[in-house]
Amino acid sequence: MRVINQRVKSSQVQVNGEIIGKIGCGLNLLVGIANTDESELDWMARKCLELRLFPDSANDGGRWDKSVEDIGGELLVLTSTPTIKVRGFLTKRHRKGAYSEWGWHRD
């Protein structure tokens, strides 16, 4: 499993001109999941919610002390199973089920 996160002021996803997902301040999460990742799902979800990626407005130094939960932010989660392969993260344990599950062909 891999998650690429991006801190955003606002974000939206459009398909054929129609907005299918929209958030205000929060995180975009590009998630690549293989069928062998079930045991990691809860841990990764908690990790994304607890990442301290937002500044503490009371702190003039601009330290990033707040999580998305702390600020009442939102999540826009986009599944991208090819992320595991494209980013070079397709490990041996992922290869076993990934190709057939996602319809990929080995070259």
Side-chain angles (χ1 to χ4, degrees), residues 31-33 79-90 102 104:
V31 181
I33 302 174
T79 59
S80 177
T81 50
T83 298
I84 295 173
K85 182 179 179 187
V86 172
R87 299 282 298 162
F89 295 131
L90 193 60
W102 299 325
W104 293 347

Side-chain angles (χ1 to χ4, degrees), residues 1 4-5 7 14 16 23-24 30 48-50 56 58 74-75 77-78 87 91 93-94 96 101-102 105-106:
M1 172 186 304
I4 300 169
N5 64 61
R7 189 173 58 143
Q14 285 185 310
N16 296 326
I23 64 169
L30 183 60
C48 290
L49 290 172
E50 293 175 350
D56 181 358
E74 300 174 284
L75 300 176
V77 181
L78 308 168
R87 299 282 298 162
T91 63
R93 78 182 178 106
H94 290 114
K96 185 175 182 182
E101 182 181 347
W102 299 325
H105 301 283
R106 295 181 190 211

Side-chain angles (χ1 to χ4, degrees), residues 3-106:
V3 176
I4 300 169
N5 64 61
Q6 179 182 24
R7 189 173 58 143
V8 297
K9 291 181 181 178
S10 65
S11 183
Q12 67 182 28
V13 175
Q14 285 185 310
V15 175
N16 296 326
E18 179 184 347
I19 297 174
I20 61 168
K22 184 176 183 178
I23 64 169
C25 185
L27 294 175
N28 278 346
L29 301 175
L30 183 60
V31 181
I33 302 174
N35 62 350
T36 56
D37 290 332
E38 189 173 332
S39 64
E40 299 175 14
L41 291 175
D42 289 337
W43 176 84
M44 186 60 79
R46 178 63 30 211
K47 177 83 172 171
C48 290
L49 290 172
E50 293 175 350
L51 285 171
R52 295 178 180 266
L53 298 174
F54 296 89
D56 181 358
S57 58
N59 184 350
D60 291 334
R63 289 183 50 185
W64 292 6
D65 286 340
K66 301 283 185 178
S67 69
V68 71
E69 284 183 309
D70 294 337
I71 66 162
E74 300 174 284
L75 300 176
L76 183 58
V77 181
L78 308 168
T79 59
S80 177
T81 50
T83 298
I84 295 173
K85 182 179 179 187
V86 172
R87 299 282 298 162
F89 295 131
L90 193 60
T91 63
K92 200 174 222 180
R93 78 182 178 106
H94 290 114
R95 283 188 202 113
K96 185 175 182 182
Y99 287 98
S100 60
E101 182 181 347
W102 299 325
W104 293 347
H105 301 283
R106 295 181 190 211

